[in-house]
Amino acid sequence: MTTVAQTIVNQLNTWGVDTLYGVAGDTILPLLGAIGEQDQVQFFPVKHESSAGFMASAQSKLDGKVGFCLVHAGPGLANAVNGLADAANDHVPLVVISGQVPQRQIGTDYKQYVDESRLMDPLAVYSAPVTSADAVVDIMTRAYHHAIAEQGVAHISLPMDLLSQETSAAPHPPEPYLSTRALSDPKTLDGAIPLLKKAQRPLILLGRGGRAAGQLVQELAESWGAGIILSLGAKGAISGQHPHVIGGLGQGGSEAATDLLKTTDLLLIVGSNWWPKDYVPATLPIIQMDVKPDQIGLVAPVAYGLVGSAEDLLQQLKDRWQPPHRKEWYQNVKSTIEAWRSRLEPEMNSDEKPIMPQRLIADLERAVSPDAIISLDVGDHTVWFNRIFQGQRQEILFSGNWRTMGFGLPAAILAKQRHPERQVVALLGDGGFAMTQMELCTASQYHLPLMVVVVNNGCMAMEKNRMAVAGLPAVGVDLANPDFVALASACGVEARRVTDPAELLSAFRWGSAQNAPVLIDVVCASPMLPHTKLG
């Protein structure tokens, strides 16, 4: 017989889970004790539960594995909700284990009690309390299955007095087939070929869900003469300097992409649900490939849908169809791309002071490793990043649909903890950094060599500019920032402040060379984004 807490740890180990992110609390102390008795499953403590949620979400986004976090009852789970919502809205699998008050106090006004399933109801694909010691494995297995099958957040609530009880429940064996994805049959794939053949002016939109198929997309575009649009999550899947890559889509994307979408006669969407309606034609012939059937036609009506992994579908398509090269169209695509890149050059090389965000991002790209992991927080700088950063093989972590500030630093810590061999950069606005800046201490505590770049413009620039466009007074958007260099030093992190664009490249190269966490505080301007509007 083992305790419930020990059984939970054994089950996690059986599934290959090696780390739980969280904050200690009374209701999970027996489980922390069980973790401390062995060395296969570790607990990674952070300063705030939202960071634990962000890190579990980022692990799922980065590695495709189920992220796990462990939090205290009541306020612990409530604090984690922001990170859990990020995973829920970006449709990545995550399991959150939360403590709960003793069983006899559930439903009362006992301290820190909340109905946790009701708290999780808007976010979770599954939420259940463990009400019997012998049910713990069954509940854990259901949560794990739901998280994987529905690509979402599953929640387990554990009354604290149950954790020390004994149980005969044995761990559920690994089930690798859980990750099996749906795949359209060959006849369905054949039905798309006449539409592909007919297209004279093709474009491809590649999203995060198609990253692994980057090489196949590149080969298809080269054979077909198609232009490639990359969503933010797909940057690095194909080099941004490739002659078929047009850039991004939307306000921070490529105006070349917006222009070409007006004249295309077919858009092939591969693993993307990014669809900024203000930047795409109201009607457009679309073939969409997605691993989730429910995503087909969700953001825009499609002419044809194919279900499956992008790699499987594109390989089957390659085996069945040799695309005709649309030479005249490609010449149009090529000239549009070249004109767009020429227009970006003055932005990327600006010597203005305060430093322009475009110059910051261009010099950052010149300094980072080709295979770096770059974690973005939400804000004005994210849109500039999408516009300027071309990418080689880098991977980009960001909060997609939830778009929460505070994501960037915890996600970078996660990335460095999981991939110590790769360079990790956190690019943060000063507003977003303020929300989780205490995690600098976490990076210092675990000696994680990552580079934190703060875009310090002293305001919530996106909101401030939108208010200006709408003729509204700028209320609540100016920031009273601390001395970020002094703050970093207090956390045990070396830092530099940059005010001159001529110093940017050397500062980024210095930061990249350090074998310790560093912070670079860049004093920036807050220029108006292209097409800025309210909402």
Side-chain angles (χ1 to χ4, degrees), residues 89-374:
N89 281 272
D90 278 354
H91 305 289
V92 296
L94 184 154
V95 175
V96 54
I97 301 172
S98 67
Q100 180 56 288
V101 301
Q103 293 178 88
R104 68 182 182 279
Q105 303 293 355
I106 292 175
T108 72
D109 60 355
Y110 190 75
K111 64 179 181 179
Q112 299 188 320
Y113 169 72
V114 68
D115 185 332
E116 294 183 344
S117 290
R118 288 184 66 188
L119 179 63
M120 291 297 299
D121 185 59
L123 303 176
V125 297
Y126 177 84
S127 179
V130 179
T131 57
S132 163
D134 289 337
V136 63
V137 169
D138 288 341
I139 297 296
M140 288 186 70
T141 301
R142 285 178 178 272
Y144 190 59
H145 281 204
H146 278 278
I148 294 173
E150 299 180 56
Q151 294 290 285
V153 174
H155 167 239
I156 303 164
S157 179
L158 289 164
M160 61 185 296
D161 54 332
L162 199 71
L163 289 168
S164 300
Q165 293 181 17
E166 291 190 335
T167 178
S168 59
H172 204 80
E175 299 166 300
Y177 52 81
L178 286 175
S179 298
T180 304
R181 299 299 186 197
L183 180 64
S184 292
D185 63 40
K187 290 182 179 179
T188 303
L189 188 68
D190 289 341
I193 292 177
L195 294 173
L196 295 165
K197 284 182 176 179
K198 184 180 177 182
Q200 300 292 317
R201 302 182 301 279
L203 293 176
I204 302 170
L205 170 60
L206 178 62
R208 179 172 63 89
R211 278 194 68 93
Q215 182 61 38
L216 287 167
V217 169
Q218 179 178 315
E219 292 172 4
L220 174 59
E222 290 169 349
S223 299
W224 203 10
I228 304 169
I229 302 169
L230 299 175
S231 77
L232 181 58
K235 278 187 182 290
I238 302 171
S239 169
Q241 297 298 323
H242 189 277
H244 286 257
V245 172
I246 304 166
L249 184 61
Q251 184 182 27
S254 159
E255 285 143 35
T258 303
D259 291 341
L260 288 168
L261 279 168
K262 295 174 183 176
T263 56
T264 185
D265 61 356
L266 182 68
L267 177 66
L268 175 62
I269 300 179
V270 181
S272 177
N273 59 11
W274 172 233
W275 195 249
K277 293 184 179 180
D278 292 338
Y279 298 90
V280 294
T283 58
L284 185 65
I286 294 171
I287 295 176
Q288 184 177 0
M289 295 180 174
D290 203 285
V291 74
K292 296 186 69 178
D294 63 324
Q295 294 296 310
I296 303 290
L298 189 63
V299 294
V302 300
Y304 208 88
L306 295 168
V307 177
S309 74
E311 308 98 290
D312 288 338
L313 291 171
L314 288 169
Q315 185 58 57
Q316 288 191 33
L317 183 63
K318 182 179 179 180
D319 295 340
R320 284 172 162 73
W321 176 57
Q322 179 59 47
H325 192 273
R326 304 303 186 190
K327 295 181 181 178
E328 184 177 342
W329 169 246
Y330 175 60
Q331 289 304 314
N332 182 29
V333 169
K334 183 180 179 182
S335 62
T336 304
I337 292 171
E338 289 171 351
W340 165 246
R341 290 177 180 167
S342 295
R343 286 165 60 191
L344 286 182
E345 285 296 322
E347 296 184 36
M348 297 167 66
N349 296 298
S350 170
D351 290 325
E352 291 184 47
K353 296 180 183 180
I355 296 168
M356 300 298 283
Q358 301 99 305
R359 173 66 182 270
L360 182 159
I361 291 161
D363 278 2
L364 182 64
E365 180 164 15
R366 293 172 181 128
V368 298
S369 300
D371 67 342
I373 300 169
I374 301 175

Side-chain angles (χ1 to χ4, degrees), residues 211 232-233 235 374-376 385 389 394-398:
R211 278 194 68 93
L232 181 58
K235 278 187 182 290
I374 301 175
S375 176
L376 301 175
F385 180 90
F389 194 89
Q394 293 92 353
E395 288 187 71
I396 314 301
L397 280 173
F398 61 101

Side-chain angles (χ1 to χ4, degrees), residues 385-457:
F385 180 90
N386 195 25
R387 179 182 178 88
I388 299 297
F389 194 89
Q390 301 299 304
Q392 296 182 55
R393 301 190 309 277
Q394 293 92 353
E395 288 187 71
I396 314 301
L397 280 173
F398 61 101
S399 178
N401 289 322
W402 190 236
R403 300 191 184 189
T404 178
M405 296 167 69
F407 173 87
L409 181 54
I413 291 171
L414 174 283
K416 194 63 182 180
Q417 186 248 346
R418 305 300 299 185
H419 296 278
E421 77 288 357
R422 295 177 68 180
Q423 183 185 22
V424 175
V425 178
L427 181 62
L428 318 173
D430 45 1
F433 176 51
M435 293 193 174
T436 46
Q437 61 192 13
M438 62 283 190
E439 301 302 348
L440 278 181
C441 295
T442 305
S444 177
Q445 177 184 352
Y446 289 95
H447 310 290
L448 297 172
L450 54 90
M451 180 166 62
V452 179
V453 179
V454 180
V455 183
N456 184 358
N457 54 30

